[in-house]
Amino acid sequence: VLTGLPNRRLLMDRLGTVVARSQAEHTVSALLYLDIDKFKNVNDERGHATGDLLLEHAAARLQQAVCGSGLVARIGGDEFVVLLDSRDPCPDTAARHTLEAATLVREALAAPLDLKGKPYRIAASIGIALARPGGPGAHDLLREADTAMYHAKAAGRDGVRVFEDAMLADAQHALMLERDLAAALENGELAMHLQLQVNGRGLPVGAELLMRWRRADGSMERPDIFIPVAESSGLIVPLGHWALRQACAAWLALDRAGCPLPLSLNVSPIQFRQPDFVEQVHRIFTEMGVPPQQFIFEVTEGLLIEDIDQTITRMHQLANLGIRFSVDDFGTGYSNLAYLKKMPLYELKIDKSFMRDMPQDHNSTAIVQSILAMANHLDLRVVAEGVETAAQACYLGQHGSAYMQGFHYHRPMPLGDVIARLQTTAEAA
């Protein structure tokens, strides 16, 4: 009703006809699956009426781009499908023509738009699947296009991806990993290890908690594999609550052992943006009986550039509880430096990618020097991640007062091993 476009039911009817024709005539046609990028932001910030107006403009532009050579359908929310009944006899030619059509679609959507008095640019992530002889049926073809669209979105949005068989294998693996991760949380397969942070003299001054997953068979899953799956599936929210309780328990154990340390904990943007996040944190800290001042929440630069006003408000609410904030992997994204001064920040963490070639690489060294100087100007603490050599540690010691974290000093360890290490260090002192 809103856009005047066909719905999913009519699309699937036409798609079934196109697939059957491709099988019978040995020709290739194509399907484009589009998702409007950051459409939720428009609804949240400017209201659903403005969001509806954007969808109407998108629908009109899609129809204009297709120019009667295909069917444009809206199948839900901000998702559209373009069915191109091109009937190319050659798969390579069909793929080339489809990519050209996708380019026309993107250009049509991106044309300047006045959205209730404000300029706006419509961007979309597009997935392509080809209806081909011996290929899948209508429902599976739509799934292939949808899968390719998610790959386009994961690659940074506002792009095009053509479905490949490997994408389906990746999707199936991610689904299996998601299921296993949910079971791992229930079965106690997850644990939080601690990596100590040290000062220029090598003495512990804090620790970061890092999630580890050891399966029942003893094999380990890498965090850079399972954490993105947790974020994409929403499992990161219960995982985040569990990790926060583990952090509280770890601090209490350190305190009982006579070696309390400030603990740093990564907070996912998805978890941070939950409406009840502040209340959840306050309740857990109160239940566990820990001092919030002993915890540092590490957030990414990506969190700092989306919904800035809401982010600043929530950070101040948490800071009022006593929690401190660190910008993790600083320098790898984009930070609006003007907003850094408005946020209750305590620390910047230099990303390990800059440390890797330091001090031999001039560019990495220049970036590290700039971060150290800026942090000093803003009166922020600095932690350098990925310190793995004596040369790196020596350079940092000679250029400021950064704290250090890395294999040169300590590897991530179970809590019991950390306590034993700290007690040994205290006895030696």
Side-chain angles (χ1 to χ4, degrees):
V1 175
L2 177 66
T3 62
L5 294 178
N7 59 15
R8 180 185 290 265
R9 183 174 180 179
L10 178 55
L11 168 70
M12 297 310 297
D13 181 65
R14 296 284 179 85
L15 182 56
T17 300
V18 168
V19 168
R21 186 182 296 123
S22 292
Q23 303 285 5
E25 298 178 357
H26 296 280
T27 57
V28 181
S29 293
L31 194 67
L32 277 64
Y33 198 118
L34 298 86
D35 183 87
I36 304 297
D37 292 330
K38 298 185 178 180
F39 175 72
K40 182 177 182 297
N41 291 354
V42 176
N43 272 341
D44 291 346
E45 296 170 12
R46 303 181 60 182
H48 287 273
T50 304
D52 287 347
L53 182 61
L54 187 151
L55 292 174
E56 291 180 42
H57 282 289
R61 291 182 174 191
L62 287 172
Q63 288 181 301
Q64 181 183 9
V66 172
C67 293
S69 61
L71 174 74
V72 179
R74 178 180 175 222
I75 61 172
D78 58 339
E79 296 180 327
F80 297 84
V81 171
V82 177
L83 175 58
L84 300 174
D85 190 9
S86 47
R87 307 190 203 182
D88 281 303
C90 173
D92 291 341
T93 303
R96 186 175 69 252
H97 288 166
T98 305
L99 287 169
E100 291 171 354
T103 298
L104 292 176
V105 164
R106 289 182 65 212
E107 291 174 350
L109 288 173
L113 171 65
D114 182 278
L115 200 60
K116 288 192 173 181
K118 292 185 179 181
Y120 192 82
R121 176 183 177 274
I122 302 176
S125 299
I126 304 176
I128 293 174
L130 300 177
R132 57 203 183 276
H139 288 281
D140 287 339
L141 189 69
L142 186 65
R143 183 187 62 178
E144 288 185 356
D146 184 26
T147 299
M149 182 274 292
Y150 274 104
H151 277 259
K153 195 171 286 291
R157 298 188 175 96
D158 195 18
V160 181
R161 288 291 185 274
V162 179
F163 176 80
E164 300 172 359
D165 289 338
M167 291 181 179
L168 185 57
D170 289 344
Q172 291 171 339
H173 177 69
L175 188 62
M176 180 182 68
L177 202 61
E178 176 187 337
R179 180 199 64 201
D180 291 352
L181 182 56
L185 181 59
E186 294 292 329
N187 299 335
E189 296 177 11
L190 300 175
M192 299 299 288
H193 285 196
L194 284 75
Q195 186 171 31
L196 291 170
Q197 300 166 342
V198 301
N199 60 16
R201 294 183 296 157
L203 298 177
V205 293
E208 179 183 0
L209 287 113
L210 301 166
M211 192 175 296
R212 295 293 182 260
W213 177 9
R214 181 184 295 276
R215 290 179 176 269
D217 62 4
S219 63
M220 298 292 294
E221 288 287 352
R222 288 166 36 193
D224 61 334
I225 299 296
F226 71 80
I227 293 297
V229 170
E231 294 199 334
S232 65
S233 66
L235 275 173
I236 197 67
V237 175
L239 275 181
H241 292 158
W242 173 84
L244 186 56
R245 290 185 177 277
Q246 292 293 307
C248 294
W251 189 90
L252 290 170
L254 289 165
D255 186 47
R256 287 193 299 270
C259 43
L261 284 176
L263 297 181
S264 299
L265 183 70
N266 290 281
V267 176
S268 162
I270 296 172
Q271 182 187 7
F272 185 90
R273 294 193 181 105
Q274 294 298 306
D276 62 346
F277 179 63
V278 176
E279 291 77 10
Q280 288 275 2
V281 171
H282 183 256
R283 186 174 71 252
I284 290 173
F285 279 177
T286 301
E287 290 176 358
M288 300 289 289
V290 297
Q293 297 81 1
Q294 291 296 305
F295 293 85
I296 301 167
F297 282 3
E298 295 189 7
V299 297
T300 62
E301 288 185 84
L303 177 65
L304 307 184
I305 62 175
E306 292 188 12
D307 301 327
I308 289 179
D309 292 337
Q310 184 185 38
T311 296
I312 292 175
T313 298
R314 188 159 294 179
M315 289 178 74
H316 278 287
Q317 291 172 340
L318 291 163
N320 288 337
L321 298 179
I323 295 164
R324 294 176 287 183
F325 283 94
S326 172
V327 182
D328 194 19
D329 300 338
F330 188 77
T332 59
Y334 167 78
S335 287
N336 186 324
L337 300 183
Y339 277 102
L340 287 182
K341 295 195 296 184
K342 298 183 179 182
M343 296 176 177
L345 295 180
Y346 170 69
E347 173 186 280
L348 300 180
K349 293 194 77 173
I350 301 176
D351 184 63
K352 58 187 176 184
S353 63
F354 299 127
M355 298 302 303
R356 188 175 298 120
D357 300 320
M358 233 244 332
Q360 296 85 2
D361 180 71
H362 174 74
N363 292 330
S364 295
T365 303
I367 291 172
V368 170
Q369 288 176 338
S370 298
I371 294 174
L372 290 170
M374 182 177 64
N376 181 63
H377 178 71
L378 295 174
D379 195 27
L380 298 175
R381 189 174 91 151
V382 176
V383 174
E385 292 185 293
V387 179
E388 298 187 355
T389 68
Q392 293 167 348
C394 182
Y395 180 88
L396 290 169
Q398 294 172 351
H399 295 80
S401 55
Y403 295 124
M404 290 169 277
Q405 177 180 341
F407 291 173
H408 179 64
Y409 292 101
H410 301 282
R411 291 179 176 271
M413 297 178 288
L415 176 61
D417 294 346
V418 171
I419 291 176
R421 179 75 58 88
L422 290 171
Q423 290 175 334
T424 301
T425 301
E427 291 171 1

